[in-house]
Structure formats: structure tokens, C-alpha cells
Amino acid sequence: MGKRVIFTGGSGKAGRHVIPELLKKGHEVLNLDLEPLNQPNVYTLKTDLTQPGQVFNALCGQFKLSSPNPPGTPPTPHAVIHFAGMARNMLCTDDETFRINTLSAYNVIDAACKLGVKKIILASTGSVYGVAFASGDIDYESFPIDEEIDVNPMDTYAISKMCIERIARGFARRFDVDIYCLRIGNVIEPHEYKDDLFHSYVNEPQKWKNHSWSYTDARDLGQICNLGLEKSGLGFQVFNATNDSITSKNSTMKFLKEQCPNTPFTREMGEFEAPMSNVKVKEVLGFKEEHHWENYFPVVGK
Ligand SMILES: NC(=O)c1ccc[n+]([C@@H]2O[C@H](COP(=O)([O-])OP(=O)(O)OC[C@H]3O[C@@H](n4cnc5c(N)ncnc54)[C@H](O)[C@@H]3O)[C@@H](O)[C@H]2O)c1
């Protein structure tokens, strides 16, 4: 049955593709964002998530403008999916990145839990593994890059996401709710497989340690959110939300051994397995990739 889902940050790069996947499953979606979203059947309520009053208000309100409004109090949403925030460093000053990301997430988690929402899904990032915005070229702790690694990033964006995961863990324990944190890889929109970035992923893979030679198709991210809505009772969880394969034609272990000779392996990896492993989200939530990059990457001469 379709659920009432509040989505934050739906007007952004990832949300624009995730929301249509939620609608396909019959969910009713309200988007909370500072910017509009051009998506039929989804109302965007302008909300500054750093303001707790606005967040509480939005989570208690109507899902769309209607005249007259339905009688009675709007039902509690089944779930909140929180994607809003600063999606990297240097969009604003570090203190603002930290303030906006941590405060928005705190406000959303706090309001959702206190209003009785039982499922919260949060956008975290593969940057927490510490390499993307490190000061200097550092190695990953081990391969595969999985959720077992004790993460210790040094940049503000990734630290803000670690704080969000920590807030989630505490609130899941206190309110006995499900909070699933998705460590998302670099998000690829459908048109981006033809762009310079993916071309470079494939042809100059040595340049892309910072993206862990892994990616997240924006529509497959929608599938992961849908699966997270369906699966209940897991409490606090962290999932790498990446696609199945390495972003080049290289065999994963051979390539990683060449690029990072000092980084240990904690298990054998599949021939083209993504270095940022999605084994957990496949095993626990049942994710099945639909948008493999080689289906879209332009082959020269064709
Ligand atoms: N894009 C990626 O490659 C990537 C990778 C890993 C993780 N993520 C995470 O996924 C999420 C979505 O990323 P994205 O690329 O769509 O980002 P985006 O910048 O395109 O979208 C973020 C949205 O949040 C909104 N927003 C910002 N501050 C707000 C506030 N105070 N109140 C309400 N809305 C606010 C913005 O208006 C925007 O629409 C982010 O949390 C990001 O950290 C993204």
C-alpha cells in the first residue's frame, strides 16, 4: 500500500530522480525544500529545515493545497526521507556547512520521532570513508570499502555526515524507530553517463580514488529508498548505497592492488565489484541494480 512520505531536498540533484521512483510505487510525497520542484503530483512546501518550528509544522501539515482541506488533523506521515543540505564542502563556509547539515538533520529526526514517525531514511555519503576531501592523498583503510570500517574523516562535510549518523543512532535507540543511513556514492543522473566525468572514470581511472571508483545511479537510489520504506524492524542501520560495479573496465582487485599497494583486503572481491561495496544493501534490503553504467556509456564508433 502506498505510504505518506515526506521527502526533504527533493528539488536537488538526487531528489529529482528519487521522488519519481517513490511515486511509481504508489507513495504520496510532500517535498520540503527552499527551492521549487517541477514534478506533477508533488507539492513543495518551502521550509527552512534549520528552523525547528518550520520542521515540526511541516511534518504535521497537509500534503497538498486543497480547497476545502480534508476534515480533521492530517495523519502522521509513515516515513521521512531526509536528503536536504549542503551536498559537499565549499558551497558555503565550513561553519555553515556544518550548521546547516547537522541542525537540519537534528530538527528532522527530532520532530519525526516526537510526532510518531516510525521510519526515517537519511542521506549520508561515501565521503565519510575519509579520502574524498582529505588533506592530501591518503589511502582507504581496507578493501572492500564497507560499513565495517571505523570511519574517521577530517573534512567538514564528511564530519557533518558522521554527526548525522550519530544523531540517528541515538534517536533510533531512544524512540525505538528505524533509521537507515545511506552512504551514497557520486550520484549519476541519466544524462551524465555521456558527460566528461564518466568518460574520465572509464578512460582515466587512476584519477578517481576520491570517488572510490564507485557510483550511485540516481534511479537506483530511488529503488534503495523504496526498499528502505518496505523493510521495517531493523533499527539503526548504515548502508553503502552504491551500484554493483567499478566505474572502469578494470578487474577490481588487480586495479586496486596497483593503485593502492599498501591497502589490505578483508576478503576476496568480485571481478568487477565496486570498491565501495553494496553487498549489505543487496543482502539486507534486497537491492537489485537496474542501471548498470555500461548500458548507457557511449561506445566509440557506434
Ligand atoms: N550528489 C552526490 O553525488 C551525493 C553523493 C553523496 C551524498 N549525497 C547527499 O545526498 C543528498 C542530496 O544530494 P544532492 O546532490 O541532491 O544535493 P543538492 O545540493 O542538489 O540538493 C540539496 C537540496 O537541499 C535543499 N536545501 C539545502 N538547505 C536547505 C534547508 N536549510 N532547508 C531546506 N532545504 C534545503 C536545497 O535547496 C537543494 O534542493 C545530500 O544530503 C548529499 O550530501 C550526494
Side-chain angles (χ1 to χ4, degrees):
M1 201 187 75
K3 295 183 161 68
R4 278 167 66 82
V5 180
I6 291 196
F7 196 99
T8 78
S11 310
K13 178 179 181 176
R16 282 196 296 272
H17 298 280
V18 171
I19 287 178
E21 301 299 320
L22 304 178
L23 297 176
K24 280 185 206 163
K25 289 284 176 191
H27 301 309
E28 191 186 356
V29 179
L30 170 68
N31 177 36
L32 308 184
D33 203 304
L34 296 170
E35 304 296 331
L37 168 68
N38 184 17
Q39 169 77 53
N41 302 323
V42 177
Y43 193 84
T44 297
L45 186 65
K46 188 174 177 185
T47 313
D48 183 349
L49 299 166
T50 65
Q51 301 296 322
Q54 293 188 31
V55 177
F56 266 90
N57 221 286
L59 264 59
C60 297
Q62 304 291 352
F63 264 42
K64 57 177 174 255
L65 179 68
S66 55
S67 175
N69 277 315
T73 312
T76 305
H78 294 103
V80 175
I81 304 180
H82 175 59
F83 271 43
M86 294 297 121
R88 60 168 169 80
N89 293 298
M90 299 291 284
L91 291 168
C92 51
T93 55
D94 281 352
D95 58 308
E96 275 294 276
T97 301
F98 188 78
R99 183 185 71 85
I100 292 166
N101 285 358
T102 54
L103 201 51
S104 297
Y106 182 87
N107 290 338
V108 168
I109 295 167
D110 186 47
C113 288
K114 288 177 179 168
L115 292 169
V117 176
K118 295 292 177 204
K119 170 74 53 67
I120 303 169
I121 298 173
L122 302 173
S124 184
T125 172
S127 300
V128 298
Y129 293 111
V131 171
F133 298 108
S135 303
D137 176 17
I138 65 164
D139 280 333
Y140 290 99
E141 188 174 295
S142 52
F143 292 125
I145 305 159
D146 63 20
E147 299 87 345
E148 297 301 308
I149 289 174
D150 178 25
V151 288
N152 185 22
M154 57 179 106
D155 68 283
T156 297
Y157 168 65
I159 290 171
S160 78
K161 292 293 188 179
M162 284 312 301
C163 292
I164 292 170
E165 292 188 8
R166 205 65 183 78
I167 296 165
R169 190 173 162 201
F171 273 75
R173 185 177 182 201
R174 175 168 152 204
F175 287 91
D176 196 22
V177 298
D178 291 333
I179 310 187
Y180 305 160
C181 300
L182 306 180
R183 290 182 180 165
I184 301 167
N186 191 42
V187 172
I188 303 294
E189 296 180 85
H191 70 272
E192 289 186 306
Y193 291 101
K194 295 184 171 57
D195 289 353
D196 289 348
L197 175 72
F198 222 98
H199 195 265
S200 178
Y201 276 177
V202 176
N203 295 303
E204 309 168 300
Q206 70 284 357
K207 289 188 175 174
W208 294 106
K209 183 182 189 179
N210 58 339
H211 288 190
S212 67
W213 306 282
S214 306
Y215 74 106
T216 301
D217 181 278
R219 299 156 294 183
D220 279 332
L221 182 57
Q223 183 199 145
I224 291 173
C225 289
N226 275 325
L227 291 166
L229 294 176
E230 281 166 26
K231 183 91 175 176
S232 294
L234 302 179
F236 171 74
Q237 293 288 334
V238 171
F239 296 103
N240 283 350
T242 43
N243 279 67
D244 290 355
S245 304
I246 190 167
T247 50
S248 69
K249 307 263 186 190
N250 297 83
S251 164
T252 299
M253 287 187 75
K254 181 169 178 292
F255 176 73
L256 294 178
K257 282 176 185 166
E258 284 162 11
Q259 296 297 313
C260 308
N262 300 319
T263 305
F265 285 80
T266 53
R267 65 163 167 81
E268 283 291 307
M269 295 185 67
E271 187 172 8
F272 297 106
E273 184 175 348
M276 190 174 146
S277 168
N278 66 2
V279 164
K280 182 179 175 187
V281 78
K282 289 200 285 194
E283 285 183 358
V284 178
L285 294 187
F287 172 58
K288 290 190 180 68
E289 169 185 276
E290 286 179 15
H291 300 286
H292 178 59
W293 68 264
E294 286 184 272
N295 294 339
Y296 304 107
F297 186 73
V299 179
V300 178
K302 284 199 172 174

